Amino acid sequence: MKKDIHPDYHMITVVMTDGSTFQTRSTYGSEGDTLTLDIDPSTHPAWTAGSTQIVDRGGRVSRFNKKFDSFLGE
């Protein structure tokens, strides 16, 4: 690696939306800084797919199911 071109890699504290914390190495901020998250795996829909429901807007889901029902086995 070339010298003096890479960012400083140091320990920071990450605070999740529920208040839990953990330490990790990062290039964010400086040594000992705190990164407070607005979203995290416990609250964001991208990670909570099991608890979300499909919203059928304009019959799109029902049209899809009707079109591909022979593939879906329904």
Side-chain angles (χ1 to χ4, degrees), residues 4-24:
D4 301 324
I5 65 166
H6 299 284
D8 180 35
Y9 196 57
H10 48 268
M11 294 298 290
I12 66 164
T13 302
V14 178
V15 179
M16 307 291 268
T17 57
D18 64 358
S20 61
T21 63
F22 65 91
Q23 287 196 327
T24 187

Side-chain angles (χ1 to χ4, degrees), residues 41-59:
S42 65
T43 59
H44 194 275
W47 291 286
T48 58
S51 63
T52 59
Q53 297 179 358
I54 296 174
V55 176
D56 189 2
R57 295 202 170 107

Side-chain angles (χ1 to χ4, degrees), residues 19-36:
S20 61
T21 63
F22 65 91
Q23 287 196 327
T24 187
R25 294 181 54 86
S26 175
T27 58
Y28 172 81
S30 59
E31 181 78 29
D33 277 355
T34 300
L35 174 62
T36 304

Side-chain angles (χ1 to χ4, degrees), residues 54-69 74:
I54 296 174
V55 176
D56 189 2
R57 295 202 170 107
R60 291 182 184 142
V61 173
S62 58
R63 282 190 310 223
F64 175 86
N65 289 337
K66 182 177 178 183
K67 184 175 182 178
F68 294 104
D69 64 349
E74 293 179 357

